[in-house]
Amino acid sequence: KAFTFRCPTEALPSIRANGIEVANLANNHSGDFGPEALVDGRAQLIAAGIAPVGVGKDYDEAGEAAFFDINGWRVAVLGFGGVVPSSSWLATPERPGMRHGKDTEGMVAAVRAAKEAGAEIVVVSIHWGRELDTQPRADDIANARAMIEAGANIIFGHHQHRLNPMEMVDGAAVFWGLGNFVWPHNSHASATTAVARVVVNPDGTLEACMIPAYIRTHGRPELTADPECGPGS
C-alpha cells in the first residue's frame, strides 16, 4: 500500500480524556499491519476506555454495537467499512476483520439486533464513498435508506476527505461525508470541514446540523460559526 498508518498507543489516554468514547475501526487502514495488529488495536482501545466498533476477532464480534446510557436514552453505535482494500480484510466466522459497509443484509441485521437489544437510538458510523467525492453515491444512498428502515436514527459517513451535505431522511439524520478534522492543512477544499451535531428531543425527534469548521494549521480545526443548531438548521 502507498500509505500505512499507525496510532501511537500513548495517544489513547489523551483521546479518551478529550471526550472520545467510541471509535469505528472499520476502514481502509485498520488492517494495514495485518489481522493480529487489528485485533490488538481493538484491545488497546478497550484498555484506554474507548469502545471499538466495526472490527473484531470474528464476524459476530465485528458487528457488535457499543451501548451507552445518555440522559435516559439507550444509545447503540455500530461501525461498518465500505472501502475494502482486499476481501481478506473482511471478518468471517473464522477470521478477524471488519464488517463490510456494502453488505446491505448484514448491516440491516446489525441495526435490527441493536434495536432488539434495547437501543432507542441507533447511530451508524460508516467509512464509504470515494476520495474527493462531494456528493453521496447511489449505492450508499440505498444502503442508508435500508438501515434507516431497519431502525437507524443517525448515520455519520466518512472517507471522502471532502465535506458532503447533511440530509434528513425519513426523520433520520444522515451526514454523507464529514471531511477531514485532525488533519494536515493541504488545501482550502480539504481544510473546509464541519462538526456534526444532533439533538434528540424528549419526543424522540431529531434536530441536526453541521457546524462549519476550518483546519487553519496542521491538525488544528477551529469552529467558524456558532456551535449550536438553530431552528431549521
Side-chain angles (χ1 to χ4, degrees):
K1 292 185 65 183
F3 301 101
T4 56
F5 297 136
R6 299 179 69 180
C7 172
T9 54
E10 59 267 25
L12 295 178
S14 175
I15 292 172
R16 180 64 188 89
N18 281 280
I20 303 300
E21 297 176 305
V22 59
N24 177 18
L25 296 182
N27 58 64
N28 55 306
H29 288 290
S30 59
D32 279 352
F33 292 87
E36 184 178 357
L38 180 146
V39 172
D40 179 69
R42 185 180 187 278
Q44 295 282 354
L45 283 177
I46 293 172
I50 301 170
V53 294
V55 304
K57 68 179 186 297
D58 55 29
Y59 183 84
D60 287 342
E61 186 172 80
E64 290 178 356
F67 286 90
F68 302 88
D69 292 305
I70 304 172
N71 295 334
W73 294 91
R74 184 70 164 158
V75 179
V77 181
L78 291 161
F80 304 106
V83 184
V84 183
S86 164
S87 61
S88 65
W89 286 43
L90 297 174
T92 71
E94 298 83 26
R95 182 179 68 202
M98 68 180 186
R99 286 294 288 263
H100 203 328
K102 293 188 181 298
D103 174 15
T104 308
E105 183 178 346
M107 292 190 294
V108 164
V111 171
R112 287 177 175 160
K115 296 291 284 189
E116 291 170 1
E120 298 163 292
I121 301 292
V122 176
V123 179
V124 173
S125 172
I126 183 165
H127 211 65
W128 61 10
R130 186 175 296 175
E131 287 194 23
L132 307 186
D133 277 356
T134 57
Q135 296 291 328
R137 292 180 171 258
D139 57 342
D140 295 330
I141 293 172
N143 281 328
R145 291 189 176 277
M147 288 189 284
I148 291 166
E149 185 176 343
N153 305 95
I154 303 165
I155 298 176
F156 295 120
H158 34 84
H159 173 68
Q160 304 94 330
H161 293 279
R162 292 293 185 272
L163 193 61
N164 281 228
M166 186 276 292
E167 183 179 0
M168 297 299 295
V169 178
D170 296 333
V174 183
F175 298 84
W176 295 109
L178 287 172
N180 300 316
F181 201 63
V182 180
W183 195 255
H185 181 118
N186 294 323
S187 68
H188 176 72
S190 70
T192 300
T193 186
V195 174
R197 180 177 171 85
V198 182
V199 177
V200 181
N201 293 314
D203 63 359
T205 59
L206 304 180
E207 295 178 28
C209 69
M210 292 195 296
I211 303 166
Y214 193 75
I215 303 169
R216 298 198 183 278
T217 58
H218 288 332
R220 294 183 177 273
E222 299 177 12
L223 297 183
T224 58
D226 191 317
E228 297 290 335
C229 295
S233 296

